[in-house]
Amino acid sequence: MKITILGAGVVGVTSAYYLAKAGHEVTVVDRQPGPALETSFANAGEVSFGYCSPWAAPGIPQKALKWIFMEHAPLILRPKLDRAMLSWMFRMLSNCTSERYALNKSRMLRLADYSRLALAEVRADTAIAYDERMQGTLQLFRTEAQLEASAKDVKALAADGIPYEVLDPAGCIRTEPALAHVREKIVGGLLTPKDETGDCFKFTNALAKKAEALGVTFQWGVDIKALEVEGGTVKGVITGRGRMTSDAVVVALGSYSPMLVKPHGIRLPVYPVKGYSLTIPITDATRAPESTVMDETYKIAITRLGDRIRVGGMAEISGYTNDLGLARRRTLEHSVTDLFPGGDVTKADFWSGLRPMTPDGTPVIGATGVRNLFLNTGHGTLGWTMSCGSAKVLADIVSGHKADIETKDLAVSRYAA
Ligand SMILES: Cc1cc2nc3c(=O)[nH]c(=O)nc-3n(C[C@H](O)[C@H](O)[C@H](O)COP(=O)(O)OP(=O)(O)OC[C@H]3O[C@@H](n4cnc5c(N)ncnc54)[C@H](O)[C@@H]3O)c2cc1C
């Protein structure tokens, strides 16, 4: 089949790789001059198959109220009279119940665990390097309340058979030796040892080259304007360079996916949740993390990527803007220097990206009401983690094969229910 993939972030490129491997003739189109130059560029680098939770959780509405008054708040709300924003926030809040949390989390864990296997397969097939490490994620608790609240996550991990360890401060230091310098700030931790880390930009670029070797064509600097649908079937894509036709189209435009499909009756509840990162050169490796440490107080992930520390986080609901606020930079600097002052923050690269978030935290993968039009988008906080598994199930769905995991509840039709 001739397939056009719209978007060359980590989700579009992994989709291209798996569809090419399945024998399809694939073209990828993107407005940027190369792969992974938008949200997949400088994310926090966690490949968190185990530390994988929806943000819509019980207690979040109350916490959100407290965060309004916190100096280094993990959530920043800039409400606007924008229907898409308000409706997304309402739906997100309605997912903050225990039942919805458990359902959404188990879906995310299913896909993330499948992605663990798929990423290992891609590594074995391609031998690409991307500053990868396999040393787990340590969720770090600074208060007893945080430690107690982690009980519900422990329960979900146990139920899904995901390995984990609850650690006391000494255990945290054994896992991340640099924490010995800040022993008094730690109450405990939750380690998910199967988690990995790696540079999503490096990975996506290296995989794009492997995909090219499999026959994938990339078209760079092309603006995607509209879909051409006739008689309920997608026929082509209208771009700034003209019309493209193919047998099937996959939309992997991250936060920009909803606008393209809306004129064709597909209501895709994906909204941009902005996050920030700093990439810091390491000057003292003894005070740098070994893997990912998730600072639960600020909801900030601090990750080792080769000779750099990547610190990323914050959720800013402010629409489609990539502005860089200095206050956000200070929050990242505060969190990283408080625990791991082994880098030179004055030489850090500051960046922001728009997470394509669904209200239930689960991506949207599969067929739509328009024939031959498929979605692989809405990966929110964990698109790097879930990319390979999402691409593999997408390739099965497009090829008409049964996927290895349940995918019915990943499709956009789940929102119609
Ligand atoms: C601060 C931060 C930290 C994060 N940390 C992690 C983490 O540690 N682990 C993790 O798993 N995930 C993390 N994420 C999430 C992850 O980065 C995203 O889920 C993932 O990058 C989304 O990939 P994507 O391919 O769907 O979107 P994108 O990377 O945004 O790709 C979409 C592509 O579509 C193209 N495009 C859009 N519109 C058009 C158009 N009209 N015409 C042509 N091209 C278009 C864009 O150029 C872009 O290349 C983080 C995100 C942020 C912001």
Side-chain angles (χ1 to χ4, degrees), residues 39-334:
T39 309
S40 305
F41 182 67
N43 64 31
E46 298 175 72
V47 190
S48 313
F49 312 116
Y51 179 76
C52 171
S53 294
W55 277 1
I60 285 294
Q62 295 84 330
K63 278 190 194 164
L65 286 176
K66 277 195 216 148
W67 286 333
I68 292 174
F69 304 103
M70 188 171 151
E71 189 191 353
H72 297 296
L75 174 74
I76 304 108
L77 256 181
R78 305 226 182 287
K80 291 184 183 156
L81 276 180
D82 166 6
R83 220 172 132 166
M85 178 194 271
L86 297 174
S87 132
W88 184 88
M89 279 169 39
F90 176 75
R91 292 174 90 155
M92 203 237 176
L93 286 174
S94 68
N95 273 283
C96 290
T97 63
S98 305
E99 298 76 42
R100 299 295 313 175
Y101 179 81
L103 176 76
N104 296 335
K105 176 147 182 142
S106 87
R107 272 183 194 150
M108 289 174 76
L109 280 172
R110 183 201 319 147
L111 184 58
D113 197 46
Y114 186 62
S115 286
R116 178 173 62 80
L117 304 174
L119 175 57
E121 180 181 81
V122 170
R123 256 196 321 265
D125 284 356
T126 62
I128 58 181
Y130 49 94
D131 285 336
E132 70 278 16
R133 286 191 177 200
M134 286 83 193
Q135 289 172 243
T137 299
L138 175 64
Q139 192 181 358
L140 197 71
F141 306 122
R142 295 174 186 244
T143 67
E144 291 294 341
Q146 290 170 353
L147 187 61
E148 279 161 27
S150 70
K152 64 177 183 322
D153 290 329
V154 167
K155 214 166 124 190
L157 290 169
D160 285 282
I162 312 280
Y164 67 90
E165 284 171 54
V166 178
L167 301 178
D168 60 9
C172 294
I173 292 165
R174 267 197 308 281
T175 309
E176 285 288 350
L179 291 175
H181 300 275
V182 288
R183 162 75 184 75
E184 72 290 349
K185 292 180 183 165
I186 309 168
V187 165
L190 175 62
L191 177 69
T192 35
K194 292 267 183 206
D195 286 2
E196 303 178 6
T197 51
D199 186 325
C200 182
F201 173 78
K202 284 190 180 176
F203 174 86
T204 310
N205 276 267
L207 192 65
K209 287 209 172 77
K210 297 286 177 186
E212 262 180 328
L214 290 175
V216 174
T217 307
F218 286 91
Q219 293 196 9
W220 301 118
V222 181
D223 244 320
I224 296 153
K225 295 185 181 296
L227 294 171
E228 206 176 64
V229 176
E230 269 174 41
T233 302
V234 67
K235 297 287 181 190
V237 181
I238 310 298
T239 76
R241 285 206 210 138
R243 182 171 172 258
M244 296 174 72
T245 54
S246 56
D247 302 312
V249 174
V250 175
V251 178
L253 295 172
S255 294
Y256 297 86
S257 305
M259 296 81 144
L260 196 75
V261 298
K262 194 175 169 198
H264 307 288
I266 302 166
R267 296 218 165 268
L268 181 59
V270 170
Y271 196 77
V273 176
K274 188 179 178 186
Y276 296 84
S277 77
L278 275 181
T279 307
I280 309 162
I282 293 176
T283 47
D284 176 2
T286 66
R287 302 214 60 184
E290 287 296 323
S291 190
T292 292
V293 172
M294 182 70 203
D295 186 345
E296 194 51 26
T297 300
Y298 304 112
K299 302 261 181 213
I300 278 172
I302 307 167
T303 299
R304 175 70 166 265
L305 294 177
D307 55 4
R308 301 161 296 156
I309 302 173
R310 171 76 50 77
V311 47
M314 282 172 286
E316 185 176 300
I317 302 176
S318 55
Y320 287 85
T321 155
N322 278 100
D323 296 353
L324 289 168
L326 270 185
R328 310 289 159 255
R329 182 179 176 129
R330 277 197 292 276
T331 297
L332 293 174
E333 285 182 3
H334 173 78

Side-chain angles (χ1 to χ4, degrees), residues 1-8 11-30 207-208 210-220 244-252 391 394-395 398-399:
M1 238 193 321
K2 207 173 147 193
I3 299 172
T4 308
I5 298 180
L6 308 180
V11 173
V13 170
T14 48
S15 301
Y17 176 77
Y18 270 104
L19 282 165
K21 262 183 49 148
H24 300 292
E25 191 188 321
V26 180
T27 301
V28 184
V29 187
D30 200 290
L207 192 65
K210 297 286 177 186
E212 262 180 328
L214 290 175
V216 174
T217 307
F218 286 91
Q219 293 196 9
W220 301 118
M244 296 174 72
T245 54
S246 56
D247 302 312
V249 174
V250 175
V251 178
L394 175 92
V398 174
S399 309

